[in-house]
Amino acid sequence: MYAKVQSSSLIGIDGILVDLEVDLANGLPQFQIVGLPDSSIRESKDRVRAAVKNSRFTFPMNRITVNLAPADIKKEGSGFDLPMAIGILFASEQFPLSHTIQMDKTVFIGELSLDGSLQAIQGILPMTIVAKEKGIDTIIVPKGNNKEAKMVHGLNVYGFSTLQEVVSFLRRGSGSNDEDMESSIDVEEGSFTDLEDFLDVKGHHQVKRAIEIAVAGMHNLMMIGPPGSGKSMIAKRIPSVLPELTWNERMEVTKIYSIAGKLNNQQLIDTRPFRRPHHSISTAGIIGGGSIPKPGEISLAHRGVLFLDELPEFQRSSLESLRQPLEDGKVSISRARASYDFPAETMLVAAMNPCPCEQHLWQMNM
């Protein structure tokens, strides 16, 4: 018995469609996953088995093989739990498929708890975008990701809370909750940060003029002055004088925050991001990295401002690592199996105190 279910994964900040091929063969009971899965996917065997049983379905006592295609791309994340469970139930013929459902036009994404409930995952937005680009009609996600997935128009997005609800939908071709099943809603826009207004700055005419010039050309900026002179206060207000984000730029920024798990209330980000990392941050933290690379602070500040306060306190290696991303507008991170590119078109604003000798002379002149 064989079944094929579609799902999605991430490569950098982009989504990719993944085919889950499920084969049930005679032999000793065994559950094997192939196709370069990471540890979270390999552990899904126990989650899927428990979720299927606790959802009052029968877990087949066969030799189960799940292939994640294309097999030459590293897969990551727990979003394959739901499509894996659906593929096993469909291959074992435990539910009839409604004639209104086309499995080759449907994508399943979601993490399963042991009781069969669906948990939200990170990175739903880029997965939904690639599904639309590849001609997918329907995407089924956890209820917690429903709002984020519906940012992409032109898709039938359905959010469910449990595995039983998903199977019920596949049987009938319709859902029981009209509010949750609504496939087109108005996207709610929300500011990622509390935007502080540049109008609040009194005086500092030379600094404000310099900022106006820097903002006009998205030039980098450094402010040097004694403690308490207003460097940080002014830097926080720079995003308020930057041009508004276009729709495509909003989607770019929201994709990055979706992958990083920093999307507040699953709203579309409509303001320029402002990132202010602490000076103790590591090089991987500021440009991105890890065994499975994730975006760093410079990518989280994409289309916005990266503010480095107390610049001399940052590690030299961290500052040197910013050289290439600031020139190219992107971060390239290479690993053994793949190379990842993260956008990094940001305005760098730095602040520092004068050296002790200059500060002493300034106090004498006062």
Side-chain angles (χ1 to χ4, degrees):
M1 293 176 283
Y2 171 85
K4 183 177 179 180
V5 180
Q6 291 195 90
S7 186
S8 184
S9 184
L10 296 172
I11 299 180
I13 67 166
D14 298 317
I16 179 175
L17 287 186
V18 177
D19 292 331
L20 277 83
E21 298 177 303
V22 180
D23 179 70
L24 304 183
N26 296 327
L28 294 176
Q30 186 178 2
F31 194 167
Q32 187 174 7
I33 303 175
V34 297
L36 291 182
D38 70 347
S39 58
S40 63
I41 300 177
R42 288 192 294 268
E43 292 173 354
S44 66
K45 294 184 291 186
D46 297 323
R47 293 194 299 270
V48 170
R49 182 182 290 108
V52 168
K53 291 182 177 179
N54 292 327
S55 298
R56 300 181 181 179
F57 297 107
T58 301
F59 193 83
M61 300 300 292
N62 298 87
R63 182 184 177 90
I64 303 174
T65 303
V66 178
N67 178 44
L68 307 178
D72 60 339
I73 297 177
K74 182 75 173 179
K75 319 300 188 308
E76 62 178 69
S78 56
F80 293 107
D81 291 3
L82 175 60
M84 208 174 296
I86 294 297
I88 291 173
L89 294 177
F90 191 52
S92 57
E93 300 178 347
Q94 296 193 43
F95 66 90
L97 186 66
S98 171
H99 68 279
T100 61
I101 302 297
Q102 294 180 303
M103 294 296 281
D104 60 338
K105 295 290 185 179
T106 304
V107 165
F108 300 84
I109 305 171
E111 176 184 337
L112 285 172
S113 296
L114 299 184
D115 61 352
S117 59
L118 287 172
Q119 303 296 323
I121 66 170
Q122 299 177 4
I124 282 290
L125 182 58
M127 297 180 189
T128 308
I129 292 174
V130 73
K132 180 182 177 181
E133 293 174 349
K134 296 297 183 179
I136 297 298
D137 295 332
T138 304
I139 182 168
I140 295 177
V141 298
K143 191 173 182 180
N145 292 125
N146 197 27
K147 188 175 179 181
E148 181 181 346
K150 287 180 178 177
M151 292 182 186
V152 180
H153 298 285
L155 276 176
N156 296 316
V157 179
Y158 300 98
F160 296 98
S161 299
T162 64
L163 176 61
Q164 285 183 326
E165 291 180 3
V166 177
V167 174
S168 178
F169 169 77
L170 295 176
R171 283 172 173 168
R172 297 196 303 262
S174 62
S176 59
N177 190 325
D178 293 337
E179 181 181 356
D180 291 338
M181 298 306 107
E182 185 64 37
S183 61
S184 61
I185 61 173
D186 293 331
V187 176
E188 181 180 358
E189 298 181 357
S191 299
F192 178 74
T193 59
D194 294 330
L195 201 60
E196 300 186 55
D197 203 327
F198 201 68
L199 290 174
D200 297 335
V201 181
K202 307 301 180 184
H204 296 289
H205 300 294
Q206 290 181 331
V207 178
K208 289 193 288 187
R209 177 58 177 163
I211 289 175
E212 290 172 359
I213 296 172
V215 165
M218 287 297 287
H219 303 301
N220 301 324
L221 182 69
M222 176 181 286
M223 294 181 287
I224 303 176
S229 59
K231 302 184 297 296
S232 300
M233 180 269 294
I234 294 174
K236 291 177 183 178
R237 288 161 170 78
I238 291 178
S240 67
V241 293
L242 286 168
E244 292 186 2
L245 291 169
T246 65
W247 175 260
N248 290 334
E249 290 174 341
R250 293 179 186 184
M251 294 299 290
E252 286 179 8
V253 176
T254 306
K255 279 174 59 177
I256 296 171
Y257 280 85
S258 173
I259 293 168
K262 299 181 181 293
L263 198 57
N264 292 341
N265 300 320
Q266 297 183 341
Q267 293 180 343
L268 183 69
I269 297 176
D270 62 348
T271 59
R272 301 272 177 178
F274 179 84
R275 301 296 299 181
R276 185 183 182 180
H278 192 262
H279 58 75
S280 61
I281 190 171
S282 65
T283 301
I286 201 166
I287 68 167
S291 57
I292 301 176
K294 297 295 183 183
E297 288 293 330
I298 192 170
S299 294
L300 293 172
H302 180 61
R303 303 294 184 184
V305 175
L306 176 64
F307 179 48
L308 303 184
D309 199 6
E310 304 296 341
L311 184 68
E313 302 297 328
F314 282 81
Q315 300 178 21
R316 180 182 178 86
S317 59
S318 298
L319 297 179
E320 291 294 336
S321 66
L322 294 174
R323 194 183 301 270
Q324 178 264 335
L326 290 175
E327 291 179 357
D328 298 343
K330 66 178 181 179
V331 177
S332 297
I333 301 175
S334 298
R335 292 293 181 264
R337 292 189 178 274
S339 179
Y340 302 83
D341 290 331
F342 298 106
E345 295 184 17
T346 181
M347 176 180 178
L348 177 64
V349 178
M352 59 178 290
N353 299 325
C355 70
C357 56
E358 291 182 0
Q359 189 170 358
H360 178 67
L361 291 174
W362 179 81
Q363 292 174 347
M364 289 179 61
N365 292 332
M366 292 294 292

